[in-house]
Amino acid sequence: MTGIQALEQLHPSLPMLPGHVEREEFEYERHGTLSLIANLEVATGQIVTPSLGPTRTEADFAAHIKETISTDPEASWIFITDQLNTHQSETLVCLVAQFM
């Protein structure tokens, strides 16, 4: 997930009233963004080795995959990704070739 915004509401929410839902004010202060790279273990639904950082470069993604593999180097890892350019980089191909 890229571009997670760190937001702070400037005003408290308006409480629920009979016949009305809780209402949030629209004004907020933005404290920047972070990039989240995480793996989901399908069998358990657990997140494996999440990485938070200011960027999502090919080096960031390759470092994340290397960290994930290092948790169990003997395992047979299968990563399913989309077609994002960082998921197809030369850095990643060279990294995966080292483990084969």
Side-chain angles (χ1 to χ4, degrees):
M1 172 176 265
T2 59
I4 299 170
Q5 292 189 39
L7 304 177
E8 177 184 7
Q9 296 294 326
L10 293 179
H11 307 287
S13 297
L14 299 174
M16 284 193 296
L17 296 172
H20 296 286
V21 297
E22 179 182 59
R23 293 182 289 171
E24 278 193 11
E25 292 291 331
F26 65 91
E27 288 187 294
Y28 60 87
E29 183 176 345
R30 187 169 178 231
H31 295 288
T33 60
L34 284 176
S35 178
L36 168 66
I37 304 172
N39 303 319
L40 176 68
E41 185 177 353
V42 177
T44 63
Q46 298 294 313
I47 299 294
V48 180
T49 61
S51 301
L52 284 172
T55 60
R56 62 168 180 93
T57 63
E58 70 178 72
D60 295 330
F61 187 69
H64 172 76
I65 294 298
K66 185 175 184 177
E67 182 181 338
T68 302
I69 292 172
S70 70
T71 62
D72 189 358
E74 301 302 317
S76 177
W77 291 95
I78 298 173
F79 294 95
I80 300 172
T81 63
D82 60 11
Q83 297 297 315
L84 188 64
N85 60 345
T86 60
H87 301 162
Q88 307 172 49
S89 69
E90 180 182 357
T91 306
L92 185 62
V93 171
C94 292
L95 174 69
V96 171
Q98 290 176 358
F99 290 99
M100 295 189 91

